[in-house]
Amino acid sequence: MCGISGYIGQKTFNASKKNQLFGLMKNRGPDSNGYKKIVNNSEVTYLFFTRLAILGPKQDSNQPFNYKDKTLIFNGEIYNYLEIKNKLLKYGYKFKTHSDTEVLIKALDKWGIDCVKKLEGMWAFFYHDNSKKISYLCRDRFGEKPLFFMRKPNEFFFGSEIKYIKCLYDKNLQVNFNKLENFLKNGYKCLHKDNKTNFKDIFSVQSGHYLKIKNNKIDNIKYWNFLDKKKNYFEEKESIKDLKDKLYKSIEIRLRSDFPIAFFLSGGIDSNTLAFIAKKYFGYKMK
């Protein structure tokens, strides 16, 4: 879990405001923090990041991460980063870190935002291409990683948590009483029926979507749909083999970490199956 936040507009933030924001973000990333200011004519982009190191824990993987004229802040984990890295190596890319962050920014450099269709993982990231004067704010397929934004005239705010946006906006937020009433009447299941939040002007980036930001224009683009991957099975043996292959591969790539991994055992067959496969077939030593 890392923390990301940012602003696009004409404001300036002093050291006191940065320290205030990093204080709020520390719970998501205690290992390091960093920020970057990008100036394009009269528009300024501020990027803030706090890190919880999982892959490539050395300082060379700290963020904001830069490559050529591109900048990335990224919360999450790309499970198939080694497979993508091997493809990029064949195109002549070189790597100075062991992190999935470097793989992601170079995948974005090679394939553009369409590279998200190649990713397997969970993520919330902001990517800025300074040569094209374009930015993307992207959330993973199922919305595992939180990501919020607020748009005001000639201003754009985003963050992993709403309080980061509130800190940068530095004004009171209006409560969305309709959303609160709906929650009190219908419970938590209604919370994600749309991308509205408990505050009127703040929205979630929808799962499987990214925001394209260029020339003060924002486009909301859906890049993934569960039904696109639908496959019809007619043979039971084929179905079982395919499910088993996918399950084993999913567990194998999720065991990649520079730190011990925990298994949350609910007592059901699903979580115990994951732990069994990790130990039996991939030799993972669990305490």
Side-chain angles (χ1 to χ4, degrees):
M1 178 171 76
C2 299
I4 67 171
S5 186
Y7 167 83
I8 303 173
Q10 298 178 349
K11 277 188 176 184
T12 58
F13 300 103
N14 57 28
S16 176
K17 177 60 68 176
K18 295 171 191 172
N19 291 335
Q20 181 187 359
L21 180 59
F22 282 137
L24 294 173
M25 296 175 70
K26 190 173 182 179
N27 67 305
R28 298 190 68 89
D31 294 327
S32 70
N33 63 57
Y35 89 97
K36 183 173 181 178
K37 178 181 179 181
I38 304 168
V39 180
N40 288 316
N41 298 322
S42 61
E43 184 177 83
V44 182
T45 299
Y46 281 90
L47 302 178
F48 303 89
F49 176 81
T50 55
R51 185 180 187 207
L52 176 67
I54 300 296
L55 292 172
K58 294 182 180 180
Q59 290 185 359
D60 58 6
S61 298
N62 288 348
Q63 300 178 42
F65 198 96
N66 303 297
Y67 177 66
K68 296 179 180 177
D69 55 353
K70 300 165 178 67
T71 305
L72 173 72
I73 50 175
F74 158 55
N75 169 34
E77 190 172 347
I78 307 302
Y79 299 125
N80 64 335
Y81 78 103
L82 291 180
E83 288 77 5
I84 295 174
K85 183 177 183 178
N86 288 332
K87 292 178 181 178
L88 291 168
L89 286 169
K90 293 177 181 178
Y91 286 106
Y93 284 87
K94 300 184 184 300
F95 294 85
K96 62 180 182 179
T97 76
H98 297 288
S99 69
D100 53 347
T101 304
E102 185 177 11
V103 173
L104 177 55
I105 196 170
K106 291 181 178 178
L108 286 159
D109 176 69
K110 173 61 183 174
W111 295 297
I113 193 61
D114 282 344
C115 80
V116 296
K117 298 175 183 178
K118 303 177 185 290
L119 305 182
E120 185 171 347
M122 51 181 179
W123 65 82
F125 70 75
F126 179 91
Y127 170 71
H128 177 74
D129 186 331
N130 204 42
S131 63
K132 297 180 180 178
K133 302 295 185 288
I134 191 169
S135 301
Y136 295 96
L137 188 65
C138 181
R139 194 176 183 195
D140 60 69
R141 296 170 182 174
F142 293 103
E144 292 182 70
K145 291 301 181 184
L147 190 56
F148 302 94
F149 71 94
M150 178 174 71
R151 189 178 187 188
K152 292 291 184 180
N154 301 315
E155 290 187 304
F156 181 81
F157 304 79
F158 71 89
S160 299
E161 297 185 33
I162 290 175
K163 60 187 176 183
Y164 307 164
I165 297 174
K166 169 69 166 61
C167 178
L168 294 175
Y169 184 50
D170 208 20
K171 296 178 183 177
N172 289 331
L173 299 174
Q174 289 185 298
V175 175
N176 184 347
F177 288 104
N178 290 333
K179 187 74 173 181
L180 285 173
E181 183 181 8
N182 195 22
F183 166 65
L184 293 172
K185 285 181 177 178
N186 302 305
Y188 75 94
K189 290 184 179 180
C190 74
L191 289 177
H192 304 293
K193 295 293 185 182
D194 55 40
N195 71 332
K196 296 177 182 178
T197 71
N198 291 333
F199 298 94
K200 285 186 177 180
D201 296 325
I202 295 183
F203 301 87
S204 295
V205 177
Q206 295 166 280
S207 57
H209 286 69
Y210 62 79
L211 302 183
K212 176 184 175 184
I213 308 163
K214 186 177 176 66
N215 297 329
N216 203 32
K217 180 184 177 184
I218 299 175
D219 294 314
N220 184 30
I221 298 169
K222 187 173 185 176
Y223 67 84
W224 188 81
N225 189 330
F226 176 76
L227 296 177
D228 293 341
K229 296 292 183 180
K230 185 172 67 174
K231 181 177 180 180
N232 293 318
Y233 290 101
F234 301 98
E235 296 291 337
E236 182 179 4
K237 289 183 178 179
E238 180 191 2
S239 302
I240 293 172
K241 181 181 183 303
D242 196 43
L243 175 61
K244 187 175 180 180
D245 291 344
K246 291 182 183 299
L247 179 61
Y248 279 39
K249 182 62 178 177
S250 292
I251 294 172
E252 181 182 19
I253 64 176
R254 282 161 177 77
L255 291 174
R256 295 167 176 170
S257 175
D258 291 317
F259 298 93
I261 295 172
F263 286 80
F264 288 87
L265 301 179
S266 64
I269 190 172
D270 51 353
S271 58
N272 283 281
T273 297
L274 301 181
F276 168 77
I277 294 172
K279 183 175 182 180
K280 174 78 173 178
Y281 293 95
F282 299 110
Y284 191 79
K285 295 180 181 179
M286 289 175 286
K287 295 182 180 180

